[in-house]
Amino acid sequence: MTYSILRMIELMNDQFPLLLNAVLERMPVIIAGEDIELVDDITESITTLCSHRHKLVFWRDFTSESEILAVWEEEKHNYEVNRTVVCGLSGNLRLALDRISRFTGWVLAVPLGSTVLGVEVTERTLDDVVTHILRNSGNCGILRISSPSSISFSLVRHTDSTLNVENRIVSKILVRKKQSLERIRRLLTKSLRGMNVSEHIINAVLKLDDESEKLTQDVFEEEINNYVHAARRAVTLLSRIRLARELGASTTLTERNLYEAIGWDGGDLADLIRFIRAEWQEDFSDCIKMGTLSGLGAWVDSMWGT
């Protein structure tokens, strides 16, 4: 694929955290542009933003809504099942619109100016796609491709997310990538010291573009997995707290206590709750009251053996 994580961050700048948030919260994301190959390329690239999920390709892995609904139903009843992200490529746009009404977790290609199964795809088609998606989705994002080096992203509706987690992930990626590359360059420069080699060869040895992209991908996946695992621990904890409340417990667990218990130190609590709702189809908003979580307080530590 042409678009690595690093490439997308560089092209999108401040819009990348918003795109990442949309993907993590399983909002439908539309990829619209006039170059059909580029549209499909970026559509597949976007699915790598959630590498912890299992990618399904419409018309290759499933062809009907009942099949994908069965997958989501299994997710709902089994925390251990891999969550899914769905890739809908340009050639199957008409089939997707005819057969699917719920686009949760989809990344859908809309090749403007192309003809797909006898239907010419225009800006009006894009509007119709958005309307179709919003019938069963609270929001969706549109990534527009003007050229290979010009892409922009926006949401159809406002989001309440603070984007703290996503901005933090991007910041960590860039800092850790820079630190790693600097260490590698220092070692390479030291190994070349005193050798009678041309400046051209030295520059070639110190050029680390491929390594930069690989480092970014590795760090990105590590940071995403850290967040997912912390959220998974929160699901375990909040499930027990909900059960305890049903048994009559009335003490409270603060946001700080929760983050300490799950080993996470950033982001807004409401953002975490939304991510859990999207990822595990569990709504713990009933456990939140006045900035605290209704639960068992000090009992939390015993759950983790501390």
Side-chain angles (χ1 to χ4, degrees), residues 17-50:
L18 183 62
L19 171 63
L20 178 57
N21 174 260
V23 173
L24 289 176
E25 294 194 2
R26 302 178 93 172
M27 294 183 200
V29 174
I30 297 168
I31 313 300
E34 296 184 354
D35 184 330
I36 190 168
E37 291 186 6
L38 185 58
V39 167
D40 281 345
D41 186 20
I42 293 182
T43 297
E44 294 212 62
S45 296
I46 297 301
T47 64
T48 66
L49 298 183
C50 51

Side-chain angles (χ1 to χ4, degrees), residues 197-210:
V197 294
S198 68
E199 190 72 20
H200 174 73
I201 293 177
I202 292 176
N203 290 336
V205 171
L206 296 179
K207 186 177 181 181
L208 301 172
D209 292 351
D210 289 344

